[in-house]
Amino acid sequence: MSLALHQTLRYNYNQLPAGNKRFEVEQNTLGGDFGGEASDLDDSSYKAYESGTSYSDSFESDGDRVDEPEVELVGEMIQKELDRLLDSSFWSLEDDFDSSSDHDLNNDMDYDKYGNKKYPLFNPQTDMRNPILIKGLVFPSRDILKDAVKQYGRINRVVTKLTRNDKLRVKAVCAPSCPWTLWASKLNPKDPMDRSWQIKTLVNHHKCSKVMKNKNITSKWMARHYLHKFQVDPNYSLTSLQNDIRVDFGTIVSRTKCMRAKIRALELVQGNHKAQYANIYDYLLELRRSNPGTTTICKLDCRLFQRLYICLEACKSGWLTGCRRILGLDGCWLKGYYGGHLLAAVGVDANDCIYPVAFAVVESENKQSWFWFLELLQRDLEIDNSYNICFMFDKQKGLIEAISLLFPNAEARNCARHLYNNFKNIEGFRGQVMRLTYWKAAKATFPRQFEETMFEMRSLSESAEAWLCDKDPRTWSRAHFSTRCKSDLLLNNNSECFNKIILEARDKPILTMLEIIRRKVMTSLVSMREATEKYPRPLCPRIQKKLSEIVSQSNNIWLIYAGNEKYEVDCGLGNKYVVDLLNSSCSCRKWDLSGIPCKHVVSCMQLLAVSPETYVNTSYTVSTQLNIYSHLINPVKGPMQWEHVRDMEPILPPIIRRPPERPKQTRRKEIDEVIKSGSKLSKTGQQANCSKSGKLGHNTRTCKGIVGGNQMASQSSSLQNLNKATSMDNTSSQPPLTQQSSNLRANFRAKLPFKRKSIL
């Protein structure tokens, strides 16, 4: 067997300094192969290897034949030596051949100029959760060092303080009786570019006890540490925050500190109320860029924010495409730091669901703000002739005047629910009979039915009938509604539903609030479109359900055909109605008002064997619904990607306008809205009767009495009887009557309990 491998091993230790030895292996392949049986390696070749001489000199050559040692044993010996050198501190294959690996990038050791590992490095991403402080530990900056010292105190339940904190050194100590001390300074003070700090001195043992109240747990740190919980749940309670800190760190924190932490965390999650006004121009520019055709108008008062109007292109186009010409107008107050009101215009789609059209943020609800909002809305919705437009509102302040000026020919309806709330609050207008009679008058569909109901109201209370007659019946009764907009709505529930949907946004900063509203409208349009595509029948589900109920009511009706597609429908007891299929009209006016056939019309269709769905107005069909929701809102980029408007000065927040009382966060409910859970009925709305003074409006506990703030009813009555008796006794010979009565009053006052001064 021939050997075709020439291998030379040089192992130079004496020529290099310690710690920087080199091991070189030169391998030269001359060609050929080797094989055969292995022979034992003699001692001379191993001694030659250890002495540092050339390994090839130990072979004997005899012509073409070379005496080969055993190849496998030689390879094993070389491998052992390589393993020993590779395991040493001055050689690392990973350092030389894999320097771009993730392990090398996250290496937690500092290197000297020769590439040797010198000091451990502190990694804030992995080590800050539970920092282990050792002498020689290097920190990327002084701030990270201070954060690590404070976190060390939180984890170990000790109060670490920074007694020295300057640009040259930092000293941290524990309690006065504890020897724990830390000194740190810059790693390279002469290098201004190196901001690394190193622990130079550390006495790392404690003699102090664990604390239950740690000053290192601040509200700022709590806000950042539990930020993820506030991102998931903005209503994360203070009690839950206290319990989490007690479980995680064994520390007790006060409720006020938790409140400050929650305020800070919500500012990080939702944004700052004041700072967001400066970014309004950037947001409106991004909104117009992502949704071309969108109207955004901001009105200022000497750089102070006053009003903001937004009408998205998708909402505007959808309303013009297929919605009926009825708009609900309403405003709600904002709960944020700067207050204000949100005005909204809400339409009705083909399924009788809400369809937001436009909204605006204004300073308050008044004639000027409503006029400004409706003027912009008139321009966006291209309302040149207001004859076919209907507005539903709650008689807000200044709204009636604004509608009469901008839309003189429009139909104006008042919410019958709000009108009834005003009606029942008048003394003598309460009771179930009055309530049923009122709603019967509001739901009457033709004039004679309305007049009969008002006659019933007059028999119950003439003052109640006179109060209702002062209100224009065209604004609250279906008998006087116009049939142009094909809607018989009595309530402004669409606007109330919109206010309920955006309830969570009303206490947020302005841009956060606008983005929440936009996202809710965007997702609503998409969900309604997807649901509409799954409708199996030609009518929308709600309209189909109404029509099915009307069909079930069309029994026991007799009709007579009168020619020209006209019918005389007899419902018994003298109730006869005229149906005109050609003009889509019925004398009960229900079909005329809503566009949905009434039971009289359905009976005629059953006679003709025609489906009632064919006579339903096209405003309720699925095709109309698809046309409405074919316009979708495009997504908007985040604040970090908004284009900055440099030509405009930043907007300043408005002047804070707050009432003297504490602002309310919930709506004031009516008496009949309050429902108490439990086995007992609620006494809300009932007047209490005081057993002490005998007066209404308060109870014994809150009674203030008459004289001295604590006089009883019995004492007051006895004193009155005494005065009456003395005034009737004219023949008495006692001249100082006033003096006797005054003495008697003084005796009564002496018997009354007196108020003691509070010790606190």
Side-chain angles (χ1 to χ4, degrees):
M1 300 297 294
S2 62
L3 178 64
L5 178 65
H6 174 69
Q7 192 175 36
T8 305
L9 179 66
R10 295 192 180 98
Y11 191 43
N12 302 323
Y13 272 109
N14 300 326
Q15 299 177 2
L16 295 176
N20 197 19
K21 305 285 186 180
R22 289 187 303 126
F23 178 76
E24 298 181 359
V25 177
E26 295 182 358
Q27 182 173 345
N28 185 14
T29 303
L30 301 178
D33 56 355
F34 59 93
E37 297 180 358
S39 60
D40 295 335
L41 182 66
D42 56 356
D43 295 337
S44 61
S45 61
Y46 184 77
K47 292 179 181 179
Y49 169 74
E50 283 194 342
S51 62
T53 58
S54 177
Y55 185 75
S56 59
D57 296 339
S58 62
F59 293 104
E60 296 179 359
S61 60
D62 184 11
D64 295 334
R65 183 178 179 274
V66 179
D67 294 334
E68 302 174 357
E70 186 176 357
V71 177
E72 293 183 0
L73 191 55
V74 172
E76 182 180 355
M77 180 180 61
I78 295 175
Q79 186 64 37
K80 289 182 180 180
E81 187 64 25
L82 285 173
D83 292 341
R84 186 184 69 82
L85 294 175
L86 291 176
D87 291 339
S88 63
S89 61
F90 59 84
W91 183 273
S92 177
L93 288 176
E94 186 177 3
D95 293 342
D96 289 346
F97 302 109
D98 196 15
S99 60
S100 62
S101 62
D102 295 338
H103 178 76
D104 183 70
L105 294 176
N106 298 326
N107 199 355
D108 293 341
M109 299 294 290
D110 190 18
Y111 292 85
D112 58 7
K113 62 180 180 179
Y114 300 107
N116 295 328
K117 298 178 182 179
K118 193 174 182 181
Y119 302 114
L121 287 177
F122 183 84
N123 190 350
Q125 298 178 357
T126 58
D127 300 338
M128 187 61 75
R129 185 175 297 275
N130 186 11
I132 299 176
L133 304 179
I134 59 176
K135 185 173 64 176
L137 186 62
V138 178
F139 296 86
S141 65
R142 184 180 61 173
D143 295 336
I144 297 177
L145 168 64
K146 294 189 294 183
D147 292 342
V149 172
K150 293 179 181 178
Q151 182 68 9
Y152 171 83
R154 300 184 195 105
I155 296 296
N156 295 276
R157 293 175 58 190
V158 294
V159 182
T160 55
K161 302 178 183 178
L162 298 177
T163 57
R164 185 181 295 274
N165 181 19
D166 51 36
K167 296 182 179 180
L168 299 178
R169 49 189 174 177
V170 170
K171 180 183 179 182
V173 297
C174 191
S177 60
C178 183
W180 187 90
T181 307
L182 181 145
W183 279 94
S185 62
K186 297 190 71 173
L187 181 63
N188 298 315
K190 297 181 180 180
D191 188 0
M193 301 302 295
D194 189 4
R195 298 183 179 181
S196 301
W197 282 63
Q198 186 182 33
I199 298 178
K200 301 298 180 62
T201 304
L202 179 62
V203 180
N204 198 8
H205 62 276
H206 292 272
K207 292 184 179 180
C208 58
S209 60
K210 304 294 183 180
V211 296
M212 294 297 295
K213 294 183 179 181
N214 199 330
K215 293 183 178 180
N216 290 326
I217 298 181
T218 61
S219 61
K220 183 178 180 180
W221 174 84
M222 289 164 56
R224 292 191 174 275
H225 187 76
Y226 294 97
L227 183 64
H228 61 284
K229 296 198 174 184
F230 288 98
Q231 289 176 339
V232 176
D233 182 16
N235 298 322
Y236 183 57
S237 65
L238 303 180
T239 305
S240 300
L241 181 58
Q242 284 181 311
N243 295 334
D244 288 343
I245 295 176
R246 185 182 297 111
V247 172
D248 297 342
F249 300 96
T251 307
I252 300 175
V253 292
S254 63
R255 193 173 182 85
T256 56
K257 183 182 289 188
C258 292
M259 175 59 73
R260 294 194 299 269
K262 183 175 182 178
I263 293 174
R264 288 176 178 270
L266 291 179
E267 281 191 0
L268 295 174
V269 174
Q270 301 171 358
N272 185 272
H273 285 264
K274 182 178 180 180
Q276 286 198 358
Y277 283 94
N279 299 326
I280 288 180
Y281 285 141
D282 302 344
Y283 173 72
L284 298 183
L285 179 62
E286 174 62 23
L287 203 60
R288 294 193 300 269
R289 184 204 62 81
S290 58
N291 294 270
T294 298
T295 304
T296 59
I297 296 177
C298 183
K299 184 179 180 181
L300 306 179
D301 183 11
C302 298
R303 289 187 60 193
L304 294 177
F305 176 84
Q306 189 176 9
R307 297 167 188 164
L308 177 61
Y309 170 86
I310 295 177
C311 181
L312 296 169
E313 170 63 22
C315 300
K316 175 174 39 177
S317 302
W319 190 84
L320 293 173
T321 300
C323 289
R324 284 165 284 167
R325 296 302 180 255
I326 181 171
L327 286 171
L329 303 176
D330 195 12
C332 58
W333 48 279
L334 301 178
K335 309 175 187 178
Y337 183 77
Y338 293 97
H341 283 74
L342 182 73
L343 309 182
V346 182
V348 184
D349 63 3
N351 197 31
D352 275 350
C353 297
I354 65 172
Y355 188 84
V357 180
F359 53 90
V361 180
V362 297
E363 71 281 4
S364 62
E365 256 189 294
N366 50 45
K367 180 180 177 180
Q368 291 76 18
S369 60
W370 274 115
F371 188 89
W372 179 79
F373 175 71
L374 292 177
E375 188 178 16
L376 297 175
L377 186 66
Q378 180 185 23
R379 187 189 311 169
D380 279 333
L381 300 183
E382 303 173 0
I383 304 176
D384 298 329
N385 184 8
S386 60
Y387 181 74
N388 295 322
I389 299 296
C390 176
F391 291 100
M392 173 73 72
F393 51 90
D394 302 337
K395 298 184 68 173
Q396 285 90 347
K397 185 184 299 184
L399 182 54
I400 299 177
E401 294 84 352
I403 290 178
S404 61
L405 290 175
L406 292 174
F407 309 97
N409 300 322
E411 180 185 3
R413 300 181 185 178
N414 296 334
C415 180
R417 172 73 183 188
H418 289 78
L419 185 63
Y420 173 70
N421 290 337
N422 298 333
F423 174 78
K424 70 181 181 180
N425 289 332
I426 301 175
E427 189 68 28
F429 293 179
R430 297 171 183 165
Q432 291 295 321
V433 179
M434 299 287 287
R435 183 181 69 86
L436 294 175
T437 307
Y438 167 82
W439 284 109
K440 185 178 179 181
K443 295 178 181 179
T445 57
F446 53 93
R448 178 63 183 273
Q449 185 181 11
F450 175 78
E451 293 173 0
E452 291 178 354
T453 308
M454 292 302 294
F455 181 77
E456 295 179 10
M457 182 68 72
R458 188 183 307 115
S459 63
L460 295 174
S461 174
E462 293 183 0
S463 58
E465 190 266 343
W467 189 87
L468 289 175
C469 288
D470 291 339
K471 313 300 178 184
D472 189 356
R474 294 178 298 178
T475 62
W476 62 277
S477 178
R478 287 176 179 170
H480 300 85
F481 283 174
S482 172
T483 60
R484 295 187 297 270
C485 64
K486 297 302 176 185
S487 176
D488 59 350
L489 290 177
L490 284 172
L491 309 178
N492 196 17
N493 279 349
N494 293 330
S495 298
E496 299 293 342
C497 291
F498 180 76
N499 294 339
K500 178 66 175 179
I501 291 173
I502 66 172
L503 180 61
E504 63 173 290
R506 287 163 55 184
D507 61 341
K508 305 296 188 297
I510 181 167
L511 294 186
T512 306
M513 177 189 67
L514 295 177
E515 271 295 278
I516 292 176
I517 296 175
R518 184 195 61 83
R519 286 198 298 266
K520 285 184 175 295
V521 175
M522 179 178 65
T523 55
S524 175
L525 296 183
V526 175
S527 60
M528 290 300 296
R529 179 181 176 179
E530 294 176 351
T532 305
E533 292 174 350
K534 300 177 182 178
Y535 293 162
R537 307 191 70 172
L539 295 180
C540 294
R542 287 190 175 184
I543 311 305
Q544 190 69 48
K545 183 178 180 180
K546 289 182 180 180
L547 188 61
S548 301
E549 294 177 355
I550 293 173
V551 170
S552 63
Q553 298 172 2
S554 61
N555 300 326
N556 301 326
I557 295 179
W558 298 269
L559 51 92
I560 301 174
Y561 180 63
N564 296 328
E565 297 188 6
K566 294 182 179 180
Y567 294 84
E568 180 181 307
V569 181
D570 187 3
C571 297
L573 300 178
N575 295 328
K576 291 184 180 181
Y577 302 92
V578 177
V579 176
D580 188 356
L581 297 180
L582 187 62
N583 296 322
S584 300
S585 175
C586 179
S587 59
C588 71
R589 296 186 75 246
K590 291 183 179 180
W591 191 14
D592 306 62
L593 286 171
S594 63
I596 302 175
C598 59
K599 61 181 180 179
H600 315 116
V601 179
V602 171
S603 63
C604 298
M605 295 176 185
Q606 291 176 350
L607 180 64
L608 298 175
V610 178
S611 175
E613 298 175 350
T614 58
Y615 284 86
V616 177
N617 193 277
T618 56
S619 301
Y620 301 104
T621 59
V622 174
S623 58
T624 302
Q625 185 83 335
L626 289 174
N627 292 333
I628 293 173
Y629 290 101
S630 61
H631 308 276
L632 301 178
I633 300 175
N634 297 326
V636 176
K637 297 178 182 177
M640 298 298 295
Q641 299 181 2
W642 291 349
E643 182 180 352
H644 184 60
V645 179
R646 304 182 183 276
D647 301 335
M648 308 292 291
E649 294 183 353
I651 299 176
L652 300 178
I655 299 175
I656 300 177
R657 306 170 66 181
R658 290 186 177 179
E661 298 179 358
R662 184 174 183 176
K664 294 180 173 58
Q665 297 293 327
T666 57
R667 180 178 62 89
R668 184 177 57 194
K669 296 183 179 181
E670 299 293 334
I671 296 175
D672 53 354
E673 288 185 271
V674 180
I675 300 176
K676 183 180 178 181
S677 60
S679 58
K680 294 185 179 181
L681 291 176
S682 174
K683 294 184 179 181
T684 305
Q686 299 180 8
Q687 288 188 345
N689 188 6
C690 180
S691 59
K692 283 185 178 181
S693 62
K695 293 185 177 181
L696 298 176
H698 63 276
N699 54 20
T700 306
R701 183 176 57 85
T702 59
C703 180
K704 296 182 180 180
I706 300 175
V707 179
N710 293 296
Q711 183 173 356
M712 303 298 178
S714 58
Q715 296 174 352
S716 176
S717 60
S718 61
L719 184 60
Q720 291 176 2
N721 295 333
L722 178 62
N723 292 334
K724 186 176 180 180
T726 54
S727 63
M728 294 177 61
D729 191 6
N730 296 327
T731 60
S732 176
S733 60
Q734 299 177 0
L737 182 61
T738 57
Q739 183 178 1
Q740 291 181 2
S741 62
S742 62
N743 293 336
L744 184 59
R745 290 191 182 94
N747 294 333
F748 275 117
R749 292 193 187 98
K751 295 179 181 180
L752 295 176
F754 58 91
K755 295 183 179 179
R756 299 181 181 272
K757 292 184 179 180
S758 179
I759 299 176
L760 299 177

